[in-house]
Amino acid sequence: MQLTTTPTGAHRTATFWMSHAWLGTHVEPGVTLDVADGRIAGIRTGVDAPPPGATVLRGLTVPGLANTHSHAFHRALRSTVQVGSGTFWTWRELMYQVAARLTPDTYYDLARAVYAEMALAGITAVGEFHYLHHAPGGAPYNNPNAMGEALIAAADAAGIRITLLDTAYLAAGFGQRAGQYREPDQHQLRFSDTTADAWAERASLLKGSDHALIGAAVHSVRAVPAGQLATVAKWAEERQAPLHVHLSEQTAENDACQAAHGCSPTRLLADHGVLGPRTTGIHNTHLSSEDIALLGVSATGTCMCPTTERDLADGIGPAVALQRAGSPLSLGSDSHAVIDLFEEARAMELNERLRTHARGHWTAAALLRAATVDGHAALGRSDAGTLEPGALADFTTVALDSVRTAGPVPRLAAEAVVFAASAADVRHTVVAGRHIVRDGQHTLVEDVPAALASAIAVLHG
């Protein structure tokens, strides 16, 4: 494992010709895009044929996708947790078993393969909600950020950007009396810094780079005592860093918070200064009308993770009401039941259709916005997610001639991609002007399936 701080694609100059490009409102045929120093230097439309020396991208090119919420090590649970029945809480026990086996080196190997899988799916930036900090038993590594640095290095090796959301996870849940919290159990000792001040001291040692931003996270209101929430919020505020939090994923969390504090988790976060435009609530599934109003008026974002929420039988969150109230929407693959942002995007719409018995809550354009510009903004990258001069030169091309996407006229290519394409239809992924996936093959990780199989086998051996 080697940690580098070399900007991905630094000093790279290139020209790309796109047979079709999504320019935020419509599909444009024949687009040439110039890249300099990792950013889009210029765009020309109406270019019928590739200019000499241009890299040709056939299909629909869209801004790079943002995977706003990831737990990289959960990828090792795929299929294992699909055996039998159970609940979120029984799923969590299997998750703890995998977490207990990880070391900085094995986490690097797994995350490198997982992030390469993301690149193959058109994802150019990931928000890694990172709480696996310490050695088994809770003792810090000699380098207290060995696990976080392994994730940063893994993203670099896979060619994608990362926002490492270093997570405060201090308690096992609410206690029996008001204001009391249970000590971490044996599984959670690896997650805990014991206090928010100790968490902040360790997190402050992390270093960002061009490809890696450092943010913060509150695991949940059950895992960070109320009196310490403000410490995490202040740390993020001082750095103008993203702040994420698992919020009302389970009704049990709402009930326990109500019993302990006499209010909902959303109200508790609001009262302690956690909500705001740099904050993103993950899931936001079981909310009252007051909760929705609090999130909306504070411009707190919402990251929906539909494939995980349905895999864990969590429920369908009120995404339409949240957006109408003022909460920007983004998307994440969370537990990586699948890694496919097109599936996440259409699942948000299709889940809402099932819930309401009505169609058309979001257009393809709105769903693409959640998967791109609003997702990148939630990760602290307001300069990503669009194809326009000055933006980061991060984009992905989806085939329009696969068995899933062939047939529609070009002007409906966005609808074909959002509502029918899968990650398997991604042909190219470019980050900072650098070709990370070319013709469906990863250019930095030779055999991604083999890398995944090898890294996961070690954890189940």
Side-chain angles (χ1 to χ4, degrees):
M1 178 182 73
Q2 182 178 3
L3 180 64
T4 68
T5 57
T6 303
T8 303
H11 310 298
R12 183 174 299 275
T13 301
T15 297
F16 295 85
W17 180 81
M18 304 165 177
S19 64
H20 297 85
W22 174 251
L23 299 186
T25 57
H26 65 286
V27 175
E28 183 75 29
V31 175
T32 295
L33 185 149
D34 296 319
V35 175
D37 295 331
R39 293 185 177 271
I40 299 173
I43 294 180
R44 299 185 300 280
T45 59
V47 183
D48 295 333
T55 299
V56 175
L57 304 179
R58 296 194 184 277
L60 178 66
T61 298
V62 301
L65 306 178
N67 189 355
T68 306
H69 188 64
S70 161
H71 301 292
F73 76 91
H74 290 189
R75 175 62 177 82
L77 298 170
R78 190 182 293 179
S79 76
T80 303
V81 292
Q82 272 73 47
V83 176
S85 59
T87 65
F88 167 85
W89 307 103
T90 55
W91 170 91
R92 192 174 69 161
E93 293 303 313
L94 293 172
M95 179 270 287
Y96 285 154
Q97 294 175 25
V98 170
R101 299 188 181 105
L102 284 161
T103 68
D105 286 338
T106 58
Y107 205 3
Y108 168 82
D109 291 340
L110 176 61
R112 171 178 171 267
V114 173
Y115 296 151
E117 182 181 356
M118 291 185 192
L120 289 168
I123 293 163
T124 58
V126 61
E128 185 61 40
F129 199 102
H130 167 57
Y131 56 83
L132 186 53
H133 302 304
H134 307 300
Y141 289 103
N142 290 334
N143 172 2
N145 285 307
M147 296 295 267
E149 290 181 3
L151 291 165
I152 292 172
D156 193 24
I160 71 171
R161 304 181 194 272
I162 185 172
T163 298
L164 187 74
L165 298 157
D166 196 279
T167 303
Y169 192 133
L170 310 174
F174 299 107
Q176 296 297 315
R177 297 190 303 274
Q180 183 186 58
Y181 289 77
R182 292 183 285 115
E183 293 295 320
D185 64 26
Q186 61 176 344
H187 301 296
Q188 298 161 338
L189 290 173
R190 297 196 71 178
F191 310 160
S192 178
D193 290 293
T194 69
T195 68
D197 286 334
W199 166 83
E201 182 178 358
R202 178 187 53 72
S204 296
L205 299 174
L206 286 162
K207 304 297 183 185
S209 67
D210 188 64
H211 97 279
L213 300 181
I214 307 301
V218 170
H219 179 273
S220 57
V221 295
R222 67 179 187 275
V224 177
Q228 300 186 58
L229 289 169
T231 299
V232 184
K234 181 181 178 183
W235 188 96
E237 175 66 28
E238 288 174 345
R239 292 160 178 78
Q240 292 294 288
L243 174 60
H244 289 205
V245 54
H246 289 133
L247 179 56
S248 291
E249 181 178 5
Q250 295 287 324
T251 55
E253 175 183 292
N254 289 357
D255 295 342
C257 186
Q258 186 70 39
H261 294 287
C263 66
S264 71
T266 303
R267 169 54 70 182
L268 189 68
L269 293 173
D271 289 347
H272 290 273
V274 177
L275 302 186
R278 285 180 298 96
T279 300
T280 298
I282 310 301
H283 304 301
N284 294 0
T285 306
H286 302 285
L287 302 177
S288 68
S289 57
E290 180 190 7
D291 293 336
I292 293 170
L294 284 170
L295 293 168
V297 75
S298 63
T300 299
T302 294
C303 176
M304 291 290 178
C305 306
T307 65
T308 291
E309 289 150 6
R310 69 192 184 195
D311 183 57
L312 297 180
D314 284 342
I316 300 171
V320 171
L322 282 161
Q323 188 173 51
R324 286 176 178 167
S327 179
L329 299 180
S330 57
L331 298 164
S333 62
D334 192 2
S335 69
H336 311 313
V338 297
I339 294 177
D340 188 334
L341 263 289
F342 302 120
E343 177 63 21
E344 303 293 347
R346 67 174 158 265
M348 188 165 69
E349 165 67 24
L350 299 181
N351 284 353
E352 193 67 18
R353 293 182 185 187
L354 288 174
R355 191 179 69 81
T356 63
H357 301 171
R359 302 174 74 242
H361 303 277
W362 292 279
T363 63
L367 294 171
L368 277 174
R369 181 178 179 88
T372 57
V373 63
D374 285 343
H376 288 288
L379 298 181
R381 294 193 182 275
S382 59
D383 55 353
T386 61
L387 298 181
E388 58 187 31
L392 292 172
D394 300 355
F395 40 88
T396 188
T397 304
V398 186
L400 295 178
D401 58 357
S402 77
V403 293
R404 286 165 292 277
T405 59
V409 296
R411 66 181 177 81
L412 297 178
E415 285 75 12
V417 165
V418 170
F419 287 101
S422 77
D425 296 314
V426 170
R427 293 294 176 263
H428 305 279
T429 300
V430 174
V431 180
R434 182 187 187 191
H435 230 127
I436 302 302
V437 173
R438 187 189 300 270
D439 296 321
Q441 298 296 312
H442 203 287
T443 63
L444 303 179
V445 181
E446 183 177 357
D447 189 337
V448 178
L452 285 164
S454 175
I456 292 169
V458 170
L459 302 177
H460 291 292

